[in-house]
Amino acid sequence: DSLSGQGEQYEDFFKALSATSTVPVSFEKLHPELHGYYSSMTQNIVIAEGMSEVQTLKTLIHEISHAMLHGKEGEEHLANRNTKEVQAESIAYTVCQHYGLDTSDYSFGYVAGWSHTKSLDELKSSLSVIHSTAQKIIENVDRNIMEIQKSREIQITPTTHAVVPKSFYNSLGIHADKPSVRNQLKSEPKPELPAKGQKQRTMDLEV
């Protein structure tokens, strides 16, 4: 299954997300059931060609989350595959909702599929990671969008001070009085480290 639909200001949003990524992003023709992947071995993100704009944006956020949380050398063993996928998709859903992209039809089923074997306490332990990472991505995207808009307006009208139109933020569902995601969450304990010697994964896939 995959999401359909177009995203408002898609090109700018994609550029802002790509600039937020800690590793290079590229498009390739992948297996029909694979939407994208992050490789910690080659340190890059690959997104499947030919998907809808909404699916592309959602998948990019999912893989950026993997790169931010599960790609640091020596830290891949901190979470098992199920936890990684629950974290990445929950972050993608949170960020997409913030910008007015409804991915619930896909994300809810995806998270349910990866979390059915986990206890409530295990899921709760990921909440602080999910929300703090989502907030970090949102802050970076907002900053990158402003830079993109400023650059465009400066090029068009060199003598005019660049101002981001309010309509642009409204189209993405951004509201200045919206509470910070981070402030909505109480601190949760971090997941415990697994036993020493557990093999590290080198690739996180979204299927």
Side-chain angles (χ1 to χ4, degrees):
D1 294 341
S2 62
L3 295 164
S4 60
Q6 297 179 324
E8 293 287 345
Q9 303 288 342
Y10 170 77
E11 291 187 6
D12 285 353
F13 196 13
F14 185 87
K15 288 179 182 178
L17 280 170
S18 297
T20 297
S21 176
T22 56
V23 298
V25 177
S26 63
F27 285 93
E28 291 183 16
K29 186 175 181 179
L30 301 177
H31 188 280
E33 295 183 359
L34 183 61
H35 294 152
Y37 67 84
Y38 158 71
S39 172
S40 62
M41 181 176 292
T42 56
Q43 285 296 297
N44 70 310
I45 289 172
V46 174
I47 304 298
E49 297 177 342
M51 299 192 298
S52 71
E53 292 179 354
V54 173
Q55 183 68 58
T56 296
L57 294 172
K58 201 284 307 175
T59 297
L60 179 54
I61 299 168
H62 179 107
E63 302 306 338
I64 287 174
S65 301
H66 277 310
M68 293 175 67
L69 293 176
H70 313 133
K72 295 180 181 179
E73 185 176 355
E75 291 189 10
E76 284 203 337
H77 64 284
L78 292 179
N80 59 37
R81 177 71 188 279
N82 289 49
T83 299
K84 289 179 181 180
E85 295 304 324
V86 169
Q87 289 176 346
E89 189 63 22
S90 297
I91 292 166
Y93 172 76
T94 301
V95 174
C96 285
Q97 284 293 109
H98 179 85
Y99 291 112
L101 300 176
D102 184 9
T103 67
S104 56
D105 287 347
Y106 180 94
S107 296
F108 288 176
Y110 190 98
V111 170
W114 283 102
S115 63
H116 70 281
T117 61
K118 304 188 73 61
S119 69
L120 183 59
D121 287 341
E122 287 179 300
L123 294 174
K124 284 183 177 180
S125 70
S126 291
L127 288 178
S128 62
V129 173
I130 291 168
H131 284 273
S132 62
T133 306
Q135 182 62 26
K136 184 175 182 179
I137 292 174
I138 289 169
E139 290 172 353
N140 287 336
V141 168
D142 285 352
R143 182 172 59 253
N144 292 335
I145 285 175
M146 290 186 69
E147 291 301 319
I148 291 170
Q149 291 294 306
K150 285 181 180 179
S151 175
R152 180 176 298 130
E153 292 199 11
I154 288 173
Q155 291 174 8
I156 296 173
T157 55
T159 59
T160 303
H161 178 66
V163 178
V164 181
K166 289 184 178 180
S167 59
F168 176 79
Y169 279 98
N170 290 336
S171 71
L172 295 179
I174 303 173
H175 303 288
D177 58 349
K178 187 171 184 178
S180 166
V181 175
R182 184 184 293 125
N183 292 335
Q184 297 177 15
L185 184 76
K186 296 182 179 178
S187 298
E188 297 288 346
K190 295 183 178 179
E192 294 183 0
L193 294 175
K196 185 177 181 181
Q198 181 176 339
K199 291 184 178 180
Q200 297 183 10
R201 292 189 58 85
T202 60
M203 189 176 292
D204 291 293
L205 309 175
E206 183 196 347
V207 296

